[in-house]
Amino acid sequence: MPITKSYRDEIGKEREYEFIMILKPDCTPADIKIIVQRMHDLIERKNGQIIKFEKWGKRKLAYEIKKNNEGIYLYLRILGLFDLIPEVEKLMRMIEKVIRYMTIKIDDTVDPEARSSEFDIETLDGNIEEADVDELEVSEKDGEVVIKKVTEEDSKETEEKEAEEVTEEKADSEPETDSTETEDKPEDTKE
Amino acid sequence: MGRRNRRYRKRKYCAFCANDNLTLDYKNPRVLKDFITDRGKIIPSRISGTCSTHQRFLTREIKKARMVALIPFTAKSK
Ligand SMILES: [Zn+2]
């Protein structure tokens, strides 16, 4: 009988996660491939599945992480049981090129049979070669969040935004309690 | 005409209720940036006019975006 950890876990249902990792900016496509391959092998061994892989590319970090001002962002959607993510995060901590990762659970009960995968390890090279992005444009379509990458040319026109109204008064209160849905906080990996 | 009071400001409204196309998501730093100060703090709803439901989503998404360095925690003035 399959082991379940929480009463929400229904038999035959998996959880769906969003997984973001930031790699050191000097990672080559070959480095990225090795990391994704290792992740894929682990997930497959744990009977999970990568259903989406996106390379957002090199972006400037909003703050310095481990002496890096830039990072290569990878975005994945993963299906798996409760015991998958701790293993994935253990792997992330072992890979020195990974400077930050974050897992977000987006669904508790996903029927893996009903979900099609856009990910194929065989065509990974094509995904990795994609150009770097300057900005992400996120929109919603049928309840699904769609991410569009914006490169330098098309981002020019949307620059002028009227955000003056809010900045007039300075904000002073900010709740410090963290109430994010984030399942696990990225920890600094020890090398 | 009418209101000449310089203190009068346009009535605030919730940007997310007013605009369905504005996707509130941590992966959308461009939208989130309008709701943080230049020092990176979350602007309270009493100033931005965001309704309490959307403000709650907003703070949650801002905190996620900070974790992956899409927006700053606090800006050090350079
Ligand atoms: Zn609202």
Side-chain angles (χ1 to χ4, degrees):
Chain A
M1 201 178 103
I3 21 156
T4 54
K5 197 191 185 187
S6 132
Y7 68 91
R8 291 174 304 192
D9 288 317
E10 288 175 39
I11 291 159
K13 301 278 182 183
E14 294 185 344
R15 297 177 179 181
E16 180 168 359
Y17 302 93
E18 275 187 326
F19 191 87
I20 290 187
M21 63 175 129
I22 309 176
L23 309 178
K24 284 185 178 169
D26 58 3
C27 280
T28 61
D31 293 330
I32 299 173
K33 196 180 176 188
I34 292 168
I35 293 168
V36 179
Q37 181 80 51
R38 284 181 73 179
M39 203 170 165
H40 172 261
D41 293 348
L42 168 71
I43 292 171
E44 197 155 73
R45 202 159 0 101
K46 300 286 288 180
N47 295 316
Q49 202 185 351
I50 298 176
I51 56 169
K52 197 182 185 117
F53 170 83
E54 259 175 27
K55 181 188 163 217
W56 289 353
K58 201 182 280 180
R59 289 176 59 97
K60 202 178 167 331
L61 302 174
Y63 51 89
E64 198 182 276
I65 303 174
K66 291 180 159 188
K67 307 236 180 338
N68 295 290
N69 290 313
E70 284 184 325
I72 297 169
Y73 281 73
L74 303 181
Y75 172 85
L76 295 96
R77 291 277 195 107
I78 301 168
L79 295 185
L81 295 170
F82 70 90
D83 57 347
L84 174 68
I85 294 302
E87 294 288 321
V88 172
E89 297 196 333
K90 204 163 104 194
L91 175 69
M92 291 297 109
R93 268 174 261 132
M94 272 162 25
I95 302 173
E96 190 238 343
K97 298 248 180 229
V98 178
I99 57 172
R100 183 59 58 95
Y101 58 84
M102 178 171 81
T103 317
I104 291 169
K105 184 171 69 189
I106 50 177
D107 202 339
D108 265 333
T109 49
V110 176
D111 182 1
E113 306 291 313
R115 291 298 300 262
S116 60
S117 174
E118 294 170 27
F119 177 77
D120 184 359
I121 194 79
E122 305 303 325
T123 58
L124 186 60
D125 286 343
N127 291 329
I128 290 174
E129 294 300 335
E130 276 174 45
D132 291 343
V133 279
D134 297 299
E135 263 303 340
L136 300 169
E137 204 173 276
V138 182
S139 55
E140 238 168 312
K141 213 165 85 189
D142 312 320
E144 255 297 285
V145 171
V146 184
I147 306 161
K148 192 182 142 226
K149 299 172 187 179
V150 184
T151 41
E152 214 168 327
E153 303 90 73
D154 17 70
S155 69
K156 288 265 156 63
E157 62 214 49
T158 33
E159 217 66 321
E160 12 136 296
K161 276 207 164 176
E162 358 98 58
E164 315 94 46
E165 221 202 319
V166 273
T167 46
E168 243 164 76
E169 290 171 59
K170 279 286 165 285
D172 47 10
S173 63
E174 183 207 317
E176 278 305 299
T177 45
D178 203 321
S179 57
T180 36
E181 297 279 85
T182 317
E183 269 237 316
D184 290 288
K185 297 205 176 94
E187 300 165 22
D188 277 335
T189 52
K190 284 162 209 95
E191 284 139 40
Chain B
M1 290 159 23
R3 285 198 176 82
R4 269 288 147 99
N5 190 343
R6 279 163 67 235
R7 290 298 311 155
Y8 174 79
R9 280 205 270 129
K10 198 168 75 191
R11 218 200 136 167
K12 290 162 193 163
Y13 56 89
C14 173
F16 299 100
C17 288
N19 186 355
D20 282 341
N21 298 319
L22 209 56
T23 307
L24 187 44
D25 193 290
Y26 75 95
K27 299 186 284 301
N28 214 351
R30 191 182 281 181
V31 169
L32 301 180
K33 271 173 188 158
D34 288 348
F35 297 89
I36 57 174
T37 66
D38 46 6
R39 311 208 78 234
K41 287 187 163 189
I42 299 173
I43 295 172
S45 58
R46 72 187 143 82
I47 292 163
S48 65
T50 311
C51 74
S52 53
T53 311
H54 281 122
Q55 184 73 10
R56 207 158 50 238
F57 287 135
L58 186 64
T59 51
R60 207 180 60 194
E61 297 304 311
I62 286 175
K63 284 167 183 174
K64 286 187 215 164
R66 281 172 174 168
M67 296 305 294
V68 283
L70 292 172
I71 57 172
F73 274 101
T74 44
K76 39 183 191 283
S77 27
K78 276 185 184 171

